[in-house]
Amino acid sequence: MRNKYLSYVKSSAVNSELEQTNKFSLQMFYTGELENVYYSEKSDCFIVADIENNNVYLHSVLYKNYIPLF
């Protein structure tokens, strides 16, 4: 699963106009241990989020092809 995540970080689709163009180093700095990384088989994407109390704090969604988030 780690290799698949690395592949998605390197070549994921752009999610917004504010997204970094070379985000690999920063993304791996925060998610290198895969502690807050979740995989959705249904959407074939990785989700980086913190879960505290009953709240989900979404940091990023990594996918190969564009998928609508709403």
Side-chain angles (χ1 to χ4, degrees), residues 44-68:
D44 188 29
C45 69
F46 286 92
I47 300 147
V48 180
D50 287 320
I51 302 171
E52 296 177 12
N53 298 324
N54 285 319
N55 299 311
V56 175
Y57 300 97
L58 182 64
H59 299 294
S60 61
V61 178
L62 305 166
Y63 43 86
K64 293 286 185 169
N65 300 310
Y66 178 79
I67 57 172

Side-chain angles (χ1 to χ4, degrees), residues 14-47:
V14 175
N15 193 14
S16 74
E17 292 181 17
L18 300 175
E19 189 164 337
Q20 298 169 314
T21 54
N22 185 6
K23 65 183 173 212
F24 181 78
S25 296
L26 187 58
Q27 186 81 21
M28 291 311 298
F29 175 77
Y30 288 110
T31 61
E33 300 297 320
L34 303 181
E35 293 174 1
N36 301 333
V37 177
Y38 306 92
Y39 180 71
S40 168
E41 288 185 23
K42 181 179 178 181
S43 299
D44 188 29
C45 69
F46 286 92
I47 300 147

